[in-house]
Amino acid sequence: MRKPILITMAASLGVLVACATAQDKSATPASESAIEQGKKLAFDRKKGNCLACHQIAGGTLPGDIGPPLVAMKARYPDKAKLREQIWDARKKNPHTIMPPFGAHRILTEKEIDLVTDFIYTL
Amino acid sequence: MKAKLSAIAAALMVSLSMAFPAAVMASPEDDLKAFREYFKKRFPNVPFEDFVNGVYALDPAAREQWEAIEEFPPYEINIEKGKDLFHKPFKNGKTMASCFPDYKQGIKQNYPYFDTKSGKVKTLELEINECREKNGEKPFPWGKGPIADVSAYLAYLSRGKKIDVKVPNKAAEAEYDKGKHFFYAKRGQLNLACADCHVYYAGYHIRADLLSPALGQVTHFPVYRSKWGGLGTLHRRYSGCNKQVRAKPFPMQGPEYRALEYFHTYMSNGLPINGPGARK
């Protein structure tokens, strides 16, 4: 009888902890190394390849299909919205040419976090 | 800055929503009119016939380099090889000319066509191999090599002839619609349609590559590409553009690509054949 209650408690604690870390992530600025990793992923042709379509500071030979990625904090006060755009751009524009990086598993959840951290510094 | 950026984003949205919807039922004639109008509006400074030159119709600097290449065409030897193959007797003594009696006056502009007897879309390459098999010879592999050489020879004989693909009946229109659907459908892990790159964003750069307009894309095939280090057919290019979006390519000369070629070529009706060509 006691066991299920404990499990439920543990589970809800787990959820609480998860929420707390999720909040921390957006509240505290990303670490230097996370930003560096995110930049690598964003520029890597086999990963994000964001330069195919976006001008990004520090990247060479960018395409011009999408808008230049600048002033991100001003444009995305809510960092989660930025992540969502990268995860699946179809939410905002169903016909978008921008690949759904999360929904189609082009990048992992972790990789999307890192790319978001990097893009948020622009 | 902010306002300018959102203006750009807004403009992009508009250009996407103006793009003609794929699902609407329209006759091939209506499609063709809309297709031409779209590119005429997008590139008002490009004369209709210049669309046969692909990216070089849009980029004067690249065009200059390319024109220098075309002075000593890298595909010249392929035309010669194709000519030899075309006139070399099979073991039974006949030549390919027996299958293509009108070849001298140029036939490429009429391909692909809907064959009412078999109910199939016939491409030039398909008929080259059908001719070989009918005469007891082994078919050539699709994509490159001798098939591209023979195709280059026949394209060369058609230079200047205007593409005249017909959709004669309902069964043909069904094939046309399949090709049209293929062209506008998102595919692959990257979720991109042919139309994304070659209609809506034609004239934009993907990395350093300028995207060519779909209008006029088929006129100069087979094509010599420096990236390939040789000549390749249209279906080889389809296969490459499919792989690029991380989609599994379809078999060359299978029903999907033949339907695609049917639609894709119909959209270039009225443009002159200028194959074989040279591209990056």
Side-chain angles (χ1 to χ4, degrees):
Chain A
M1 227 28 225
R2 284 176 69 188
K3 230 173 167 185
I5 295 174
L6 272 179
I7 289 173
T8 322
M9 274 176 67
S12 48
L13 269 175
V15 169
L16 277 176
V17 170
C19 286
T21 39
Q23 264 176 3
D24 279 348
K25 226 188 280 167
S26 52
T28 52
S31 73
E32 281 291 317
S33 87
I35 292 167
E36 263 315 301
Q37 286 177 61
K39 183 176 182 176
K40 259 211 196 103
L41 288 164
F43 287 7
D44 186 339
R45 281 169 198 264
K46 296 211 163 69
K47 291 289 188 173
N49 198 16
C50 314
L51 286 170
C53 300
H54 296 281
Q55 195 180 313
I56 300 173
T60 50
L61 292 178
D64 54 11
I65 289 175
L69 297 181
V70 293
M72 281 295 140
K73 283 199 186 78
R75 311 215 44 240
Y76 289 85
D78 181 2
K79 190 175 174 185
K81 283 258 157 51
L82 175 62
R83 189 185 192 279
E84 212 172 272
Q85 167 71 20
I86 301 170
W87 203 83
D88 193 347
R90 292 174 301 187
K91 286 217 181 97
K92 228 167 149 188
N93 171 10
H95 304 290
T96 188
I97 190 174
M98 179 163 155
F101 289 95
H104 274 204
R105 306 277 178 271
I106 301 163
L107 298 173
T108 64
E109 297 289 340
K110 177 88 206 301
E111 287 171 335
I112 290 196
D113 285 339
L114 292 167
V115 169
T116 307
D117 284 345
F118 164 61
I119 299 294
Y120 210 52
T121 64
L122 298 170
Chain B
M1 193 66 191
K2 198 170 152 190
K4 196 174 160 202
L5 275 177
S6 8
I8 294 174
L12 278 171
M13 301 285 186
V14 171
S15 73
L16 279 172
S17 52
M18 278 195 327
F20 25 88
V24 169
M25 289 308 278
S27 72
E29 295 83 29
D30 293 341
D31 288 346
L32 179 59
K33 232 165 94 191
F35 204 76
R36 278 189 196 158
E37 274 307 305
Y38 173 85
F39 285 108
K40 195 171 155 188
K41 269 204 199 118
R42 273 290 301 279
F43 304 104
N45 300 321
V46 176
F48 179 60
E49 297 227 335
D50 210 22
F51 279 101
V52 300
N53 296 319
V55 291
Y56 307 118
L58 312 180
D59 181 346
R63 185 182 192 125
E64 219 171 285
Q65 287 180 15
W66 168 71
E67 279 173 350
I69 291 171
E70 285 277 356
E71 276 178 39
F72 304 96
Y75 49 74
E76 209 154 38
I77 179 159
N78 301 96
I79 298 174
E80 282 308 309
K81 278 191 198 160
K83 185 177 178 186
D84 289 348
L85 281 168
F86 191 84
H87 297 286
K88 193 173 135 195
F90 298 128
K91 285 189 284 294
N92 67 8
K94 288 201 216 163
T95 68
M96 258 188 233
S98 66
C99 305
F100 301 99
D102 299 328
Y103 78 95
K104 269 190 204 145
Q105 68 206 54
I107 53 173
K108 166 88 177 169
Q109 69 279 4
N110 302 320
Y111 286 87
Y113 73 94
F114 184 78
D115 178 35
T116 41
K117 263 187 247 128
S118 64
K120 272 169 96 172
V121 171
K122 296 285 188 91
T123 64
L124 183 58
E125 286 83 7
L126 189 77
E127 287 206 328
I128 290 170
N129 267 344
E130 282 181 355
C131 174
R132 290 183 59 79
E133 291 190 279
K134 198 171 74 186
N135 285 286
E137 303 283 329
K138 271 213 266 178
F140 293 136
W142 308 121
K144 59 182 174 185
I147 194 119
D149 295 341
V150 174
S151 176
Y153 172 58
L154 294 173
Y156 186 71
L157 292 176
S158 274
R159 276 196 175 180
K161 292 266 176 356
K162 291 190 171 151
I163 294 180
D164 184 19
V165 170
K166 296 187 173 72
V167 182
N169 56 30
K170 283 284 159 211
E173 201 166 326
E175 289 303 310
Y176 167 92
D177 281 335
K178 270 188 227 164
K180 176 178 165 184
H181 183 261
F182 192 108
F183 185 81
Y184 288 103
K186 298 268 195 184
R187 72 185 68 245
Q189 194 185 24
L190 300 189
N191 202 47
L192 296 170
C194 313
D196 281 329
C197 287
H198 297 298
V199 179
Y200 312 137
Y201 288 96
Y204 287 87
H205 293 85
I206 190 154
R207 276 274 177 166
D209 286 327
L210 188 59
L211 289 165
S212 58
L215 179 63
Q217 267 186 334
V218 297
T219 60
H220 59 281
F221 274 81
V223 78
Y224 179 95
R225 286 189 74 198
S226 36
K227 192 184 158 202
W228 290 340
L231 204 67
T233 61
L234 186 60
H235 289 206
R236 185 179 178 192
R237 183 78 226 203
Y238 287 168
S239 171
C241 278
N242 272 171
K243 285 184 212 155
Q244 210 163 231
V245 302
R246 302 185 194 164
K248 191 167 172 276
F250 289 89
M252 288 188 272
Q253 299 300 333
E256 297 84 5
Y257 284 172
R258 279 186 289 112
L260 175 61
E261 180 176 339
Y262 193 37
F263 166 78
H264 197 194
T265 311
Y266 184 87
M267 285 298 118
S268 286
N269 262 352
L271 284 171
I273 295 284
N274 59 339
R279 291 288 186 275
K280 233 177 29 171

